[in-house]
Amino acid sequence: MNATSTVTAAATQDERKSRHWLIVALGVILLCVGSSTAVAWRMDVYGIFRDPHGRDLITSSHERRAKFLLNQAYVPANFDALVIGASSQVNWLPEYFSGYRFYNESLEGGNASEERRLVEQAMPHGHFKVAIVGLYPRTTKFHDLQDGFDTVRREEALGSISSLGVEYDILMSRFMHQPSRFFPNGSHSFPQQVTPKPHARGPHVIIAQDPVAVADYIALVQELQNAGTRIVYVVNPMYEPEFEYDRDEIQSYTAMMTKKLPAGPVIDFLSADYASFRTNPHNFIDDVHLSSTGANTLSRIINVRLQRALQ
Amino acid sequence: MLFASFEYILLFLPIVVVGSIVLRKLFGATHGPRATQFFILAASIYFYSNRRPLNLVYLSFSIVGNWLLARGIDRAQGASKKRILIAGNVLNVAYLCLFKYLAFFASMLAFALPSGYKVPALGFPLGISFFTITQIMYLMECYEGLITPGTLFDHATFVTFFPYLISGPLVRAKRILHQFGSFGGKDETRFTTLARGVFHFSIGLFKKAVFADAFARVAAYGFSTAQHPSALESWVFGLAYMLQVYFDFSGYSDMAIGSAMMLGIEIPRNFDAPFRATSIIEFWQRWHISLTTFITTYLYTPILKALPKRTLMFSALSTLLAMGIAGLWHGPAWTFVIFGLLHGSYLAINQVWRKKQMPHIPGFFSWMLTIALVMIAFIYFGSDSVVHATARTIALFNPHHPFTTTNLALLNIEGLSLHIFGPPLVIGTLVAFIGPSSEQLARDFRPTALNCAYAVVLTLIGFVFVNSSIPAPFVYFRF
């Protein structure tokens, strides 16, 4: 009898402890979810819950998702021109392009299909007067949507890896005075600053093009033109030794794309005019990505050429 | 509805759990369990059919048909009892083939079919592979006298119970039916089982949303984007896929077991740290345990009995056939058949090795060999064609580029973001190979502050990953 009542008492105590455990566990979960959601809504890092006019919103290391959501309201509300292209353009300095407020849509490892999907988020809500469209073979080599780009939802702004990354960056720069690598105009700097070294490479493989990606790039430019956007093409620079290695392929790619794409002025950084830029190793961190010095110089050159092209 | 979705976690499951407790209390000890059972049956039907109501028609057909067959078995005497059982099993297999294998078999018999003949597309009822096996086991249990067929209401509740309806674990009626009185939880243990269920569910959510999807990224990159992988890279991608499937399916099973527990029902475990196995036989005792039980009881044993002698050779042949059928059960593709046959041959060799008392392989090497063989089988399991799978298997032994890491170096810029997914990959690998099983963690569960912290942290991180649109579909949903 005593043993039975001891067991019953233990079971009752277990039951009481379990109830307490449940209340605490579920309570803390709800509290964390609620407060995190409230903070996310208040910070509204993608500008989709409140009026985004005049705000400075940055991306984070999950820039695909960030840019996808920023394009839904923030970009059309604050910018009237776009930079479109591959990762070799992500650290350009659009603030140097006078006369327009440029947003840099370029993505690290990005491709034409992703760029089209991004810009299509913004087009229904804004008018873009100018678009700089980069020409570099990597852009049209693939059409896969990376990082779950095809499944981005607005709810992600209420607490996701991407939004928490941005919130963290904002808090770090606000309270710890750590400058962010990501800027409100869509550009970001590269963390590393190394000087490229020519390296032995295998066969020339970069020119194999993906027809879906090529078609998407053409469609994107046509959609922009139909909406009244003026297009300026920029053939991205390459570090000279690397360019020499692939010169014929790159040039034939450029010729092919300029023929397929709607007509427009072309700023060609692979032409002889810019050989000195390409041979300076301090302008590059690898074969195509620019150092901050290179990005600075190139952006100033583009600004001059852009004004001329748009006259 | 997915277990790893807010719709399920924050809406459906809490409503069902709270609803079942309230109903049980409201209707008292006499009518409470029945009222709760009715509520859970309605919830399960909604869970199953809310996206595609037509699924419910197919499921209902299977439920009513098998219930009638079970009653027939129960009433019949002598040989007719067995005839009804055989007819029932044939009908169930035919029903599964109709939806799942018709096109596959037609492609093999294309030469005999009229030119231009097209197999009608009937769609694929969600979970048909699982609920068909459940029905077969139910009929067998009725035939063996282990259970007596109850009402259609009971049978429908048993088959449609949402925690295991779509992707298992495969359950036997005799382990579930007697628990129906516990729906909504018994007064004296309600919070204890509820807390254990929440804890188990949080582990499953984390395994699925964080671990499985981190490995899925590496595997997807390795199987699609990576070019000319070295031997080292091929092993990394193969292991990543193997761990993806493990965390995906065991995470799903944990969420199923946790959900059922919250409703007062205990369903059997499905995984027990399979990558700590040091032989293939042991691996199958720890991997998809409910399927292993089915294969052993309802495939291997009957096949062996049908063979002329019970020798080691015939036992090996039965194993090979049983595993080949189990492989085909996963899907209408040769890759799955080869997956099954590979495991069948591994098991057969393992059996012979043991019986003939061949030289003992030291534990560590035996473990490594087991993992390597399992991984090779998974390469077939995860490939879209036998040609691709074979190429990937050959690449494991690439003599020209044994250790280059060009593809691995590109992982970070191809969307993996190592600063986010690196820790889950490292921790997940350790958990899979040396960590305790979720079952063990849930069994040892005590309502302590530390376990509370675990549950909270696992759930919150799981939520962040779920809300990041990262989770890939459950691997076993397509089966």
Side-chain angles (χ1 to χ4, degrees):
Chain A
M1 190 64 189
N2 273 347
T4 313
S5 53
T6 310
V7 171
T8 313
T12 312
Q13 199 183 357
D14 262 6
E15 188 67 356
R16 204 179 302 129
K17 276 185 184 172
S18 297
R19 189 170 59 183
H20 181 70
W21 186 93
L22 272 171
I23 291 169
V24 173
L26 299 179
V28 173
I29 289 169
L30 287 177
L31 190 71
C32 290
V33 170
S35 51
S36 155
T37 306
V39 168
W41 190 87
R42 182 71 192 87
M43 290 180 78
D44 186 25
V45 294
Y46 300 129
I48 55 178
F49 301 127
R50 291 182 284 121
D51 183 5
H53 280 94
R55 298 180 65 193
D56 282 342
L57 301 177
I58 59 170
T59 64
S60 73
S61 50
H62 277 255
E63 64 172 355
R64 277 178 175 70
R65 286 160 187 276
K67 283 188 176 173
F68 185 90
L69 293 171
L70 286 167
N71 268 286
Q72 295 187 353
Y74 170 72
V75 174
N78 293 290
F79 300 91
D80 61 3
L82 301 172
V83 175
I84 296 165
S87 60
S88 49
Q89 299 170 210
V90 292
N91 65 339
W92 286 8
L93 304 166
E95 61 269 30
Y96 287 0
F97 307 159
S98 51
Y100 303 93
R101 284 165 293 129
F102 270 91
Y103 188 80
N104 193 343
E105 301 279 16
S106 314
L107 296 168
E108 279 202 51
N111 62 53
S113 303
E114 291 179 317
E115 288 294 292
R116 183 182 180 192
R117 195 169 163 78
L118 265 190
V119 175
E120 282 179 349
Q121 298 303 308
M123 284 181 65
H125 311 290
H127 173 62
F128 300 100
K129 296 172 186 163
V130 181
I132 295 176
V133 177
L135 294 179
Y136 172 62
R138 177 68 173 71
T139 321
T140 45
K141 197 177 173 187
F142 303 105
H143 73 273
D144 40 332
L145 307 176
Q146 297 172 56
D147 197 22
F149 199 45
D150 48 341
T151 56
V152 184
R153 296 164 301 114
R154 288 167 70 89
E155 290 82 353
E156 289 187 35
L158 291 172
S160 61
I161 294 172
S162 166
S163 72
L164 291 174
V166 180
E167 286 172 22
Y168 175 81
D169 271 2
I170 292 171
L171 293 175
M172 281 294 113
S173 75
R174 194 170 294 170
F175 297 112
M176 307 297 284
H177 306 291
Q178 283 183 11
S180 176
R181 288 200 298 118
F182 303 92
F183 310 119
N185 59 17
S187 288
H188 70 77
S189 60
F190 291 117
Q192 73 276 38
Q193 290 292 332
V194 293
T195 304
K197 299 173 190 70
H199 53 274
R201 291 174 53 173
H204 305 270
V205 291
I206 57 167
I207 304 304
Q209 292 298 304
D210 180 336
V212 177
V214 172
D216 274 337
Y217 220 30
I218 294 167
L220 170 60
V221 173
Q222 283 169 343
E223 283 167 20
L224 284 164
Q225 278 195 330
N226 293 342
T229 307
R230 295 180 69 185
I231 306 293
V232 177
Y233 299 106
V234 172
V235 179
N236 292 2
M238 283 181 78
Y239 183 47
E240 189 66 14
E242 300 289 338
F243 174 53
E244 280 306 322
Y245 187 82
D246 284 322
R247 175 184 282 274
D248 294 343
E249 285 81 356
I250 302 263
Q251 285 180 336
S252 66
Y253 170 82
T254 307
M256 183 267 289
M257 286 304 287
T258 44
K259 196 173 165 190
K260 283 187 174 180
L261 287 161
V266 180
I267 305 171
D268 186 356
F269 281 98
L270 294 177
S271 67
D273 295 348
Y274 301 103
S276 62
F277 180 89
R278 297 195 303 270
T279 49
N280 183 351
H282 297 290
N283 284 334
F284 295 88
I285 59 169
D286 59 24
D287 52 349
V288 289
H289 296 99
L290 299 172
S291 63
S292 55
T293 315
N296 198 312
T297 310
L298 182 116
S299 301
R300 289 176 192 281
I301 297 170
I302 289 178
N303 180 44
V304 175
R305 292 293 310 272
L306 190 65
Q307 304 312 319
R308 257 187 256 155
L310 295 174
Q311 272 172 6
Chain B
M1 201 182 300
L2 299 169
F3 285 170
S5 69
F6 291 122
E7 185 188 8
Y8 180 81
I9 301 168
L10 299 180
L11 214 61
F12 181 82
L13 188 60
I15 288 174
V16 177
V17 171
V18 172
S20 65
I21 294 171
V22 169
L23 279 174
R24 195 180 169 102
K25 282 195 174 277
L26 209 63
F27 286 89
T30 322
H31 300 296
R34 274 307 205 201
T36 313
Q37 185 182 335
F38 181 79
F39 175 64
I40 287 174
L41 173 62
S44 297
I45 289 171
Y46 172 78
F47 174 86
Y48 183 71
S49 59
N50 73 327
R51 290 280 157 82
R52 193 163 175 252
L54 186 62
N55 280 342
L56 189 59
V57 177
Y58 298 135
L59 177 63
S60 305
F61 193 69
S62 169
I63 289 170
V64 174
N66 280 287
W67 178 71
L68 290 171
L69 284 163
R71 285 171 68 88
I73 290 171
D74 190 47
R75 285 176 188 162
Q77 298 291 326
S80 58
K81 204 176 176 83
K82 192 166 189 175
R83 275 200 292 273
I84 299 174
L85 173 72
I86 292 169
N89 286 346
V90 169
L91 284 171
N92 272 304
V93 173
Y95 196 58
L96 179 61
C97 289
L98 183 70
F99 293 103
K100 197 167 173 178
Y101 300 102
L102 204 58
F104 179 65
F105 292 135
S107 70
M108 284 195 289
L109 298 170
F111 63 91
L113 295 170
S115 62
Y117 176 78
K118 276 191 176 175
V119 176
L122 293 171
F124 181 73
L126 199 58
I128 190 169
S129 307
F130 287 89
F131 70 68
T132 303
I133 286 192
T134 304
Q135 303 279 26
I136 290 172
M137 289 198 291
Y138 177 71
L139 294 182
M140 295 295 287
E141 283 178 292
C142 287
Y143 174 75
E144 288 164 354
L146 297 172
I147 52 163
T148 311
T151 60
L152 180 61
F153 175 48
D154 276 347
H155 183 60
T157 312
F158 162 64
V159 177
T160 61
F161 189 42
F162 68 87
Y164 56 65
L165 170 61
I166 293 169
S167 291
L170 298 164
V171 292
R172 294 174 127 188
K174 71 171 180 179
R175 296 214 34 191
I176 301 295
L177 290 174
H178 71 92
Q179 296 187 58
F180 279 5
S182 308
F183 272 133
K186 289 177 182 164
D187 286 345
E188 59 277 18
T189 55
R190 177 171 296 125
F191 290 109
T192 312
T193 51
L194 199 53
R196 183 172 282 126
V198 168
F199 185 69
H200 208 140
F201 189 92
S202 69
I203 295 172
L205 176 67
F206 190 86
K207 279 163 83 174
K208 163 63 192 152
V210 182
F211 287 153
D213 294 315
F215 285 106
R217 287 182 167 229
V218 180
Y221 170 77
F223 281 7
S224 57
T225 314
Q227 292 180 344
H228 311 296
S230 65
L232 175 69
E233 289 172 333
S234 301
W235 282 92
V236 169
F237 298 141
L239 284 170
Y241 181 70
M242 183 179 80
L243 294 177
Q244 176 200 342
V245 178
Y246 167 64
F247 282 120
D248 186 280
F249 195 25
S250 73
Y252 181 91
S253 295
D254 290 336
M255 285 191 273
I257 293 168
S259 300
M261 215 178 273
M262 288 182 221
L263 294 165
I265 302 291
E266 285 209 26
I267 53 180
R269 64 182 177 165
N270 217 15
F271 290 88
D272 181 17
F275 298 124
R276 282 172 21 197
T278 53
S279 72
I280 294 291
I281 291 176
E282 192 191 348
F283 172 79
W284 278 99
Q285 287 163 348
R286 291 165 171 266
W287 176 273
H288 204 169
I289 297 166
S290 60
L291 179 68
T292 308
T293 309
F294 175 80
I295 295 168
T296 312
T297 315
Y298 298 116
L299 288 175
Y300 168 78
T301 308
I303 293 170
L304 186 60
K305 279 182 182 170
L307 292 172
K309 283 189 228 166
R310 295 197 188 166
T311 61
L312 193 55
M313 201 48 71
F314 280 121
S315 169
L317 183 63
S318 305
T319 307
L320 198 63
L321 284 171
M323 291 305 289
I325 294 168
L328 184 62
W329 170 80
H330 282 92
W334 287 109
T335 47
F336 291 124
V337 176
I338 293 175
F339 167 78
L341 290 175
L342 277 174
H343 271 290
S345 44
Y346 298 162
L347 284 165
I349 293 167
N350 202 170
Q351 282 171 349
V352 173
W353 197 278
R354 279 189 181 179
K355 296 277 179 192
K356 297 277 181 188
Q357 296 184 333
M358 310 273 261
H360 174 71
I361 302 175
F364 180 72
F365 294 104
S366 178
W367 172 76
M368 291 231 299
L369 184 63
T370 305
I371 297 298
L373 292 174
V374 168
M375 192 201 76
I376 289 171
F378 269 119
I379 289 176
Y380 281 88
F381 188 90
S383 297
D384 50 2
S385 72
V386 176
V387 175
H388 284 149
T390 309
R392 282 168 193 153
T393 308
I394 292 168
L396 295 171
F397 310 98
N398 184 347
H400 306 296
H401 302 287
F403 300 117
T404 52
T405 54
T406 319
N407 287 297
L408 290 176
L410 286 170
L411 255 175
N412 202 27
I413 53 169
E414 295 285 350
L416 186 79
S417 307
L418 278 176
H419 66 288
I420 300 290
F421 294 102
L425 293 173
V426 173
I427 298 168
T429 306
L430 294 174
V431 166
F433 289 117
I434 57 174
S437 69
S438 326
E439 168 68 21
Q440 191 186 327
L441 289 172
R443 203 172 43 234
D444 299 340
F445 170 79
R446 305 290 309 152
T448 60
L450 187 64
N451 279 336
C452 185
Y454 279 143
V456 168
V457 170
L458 295 180
T459 305
L460 290 177
I461 297 176
F463 278 2
V464 170
F465 275 71
V466 168
N467 199 38
S468 302
S469 303
I470 287 167
F474 283 111
V475 172
Y476 266 68
F477 262 25
R478 60 191 169 123
F479 306 140

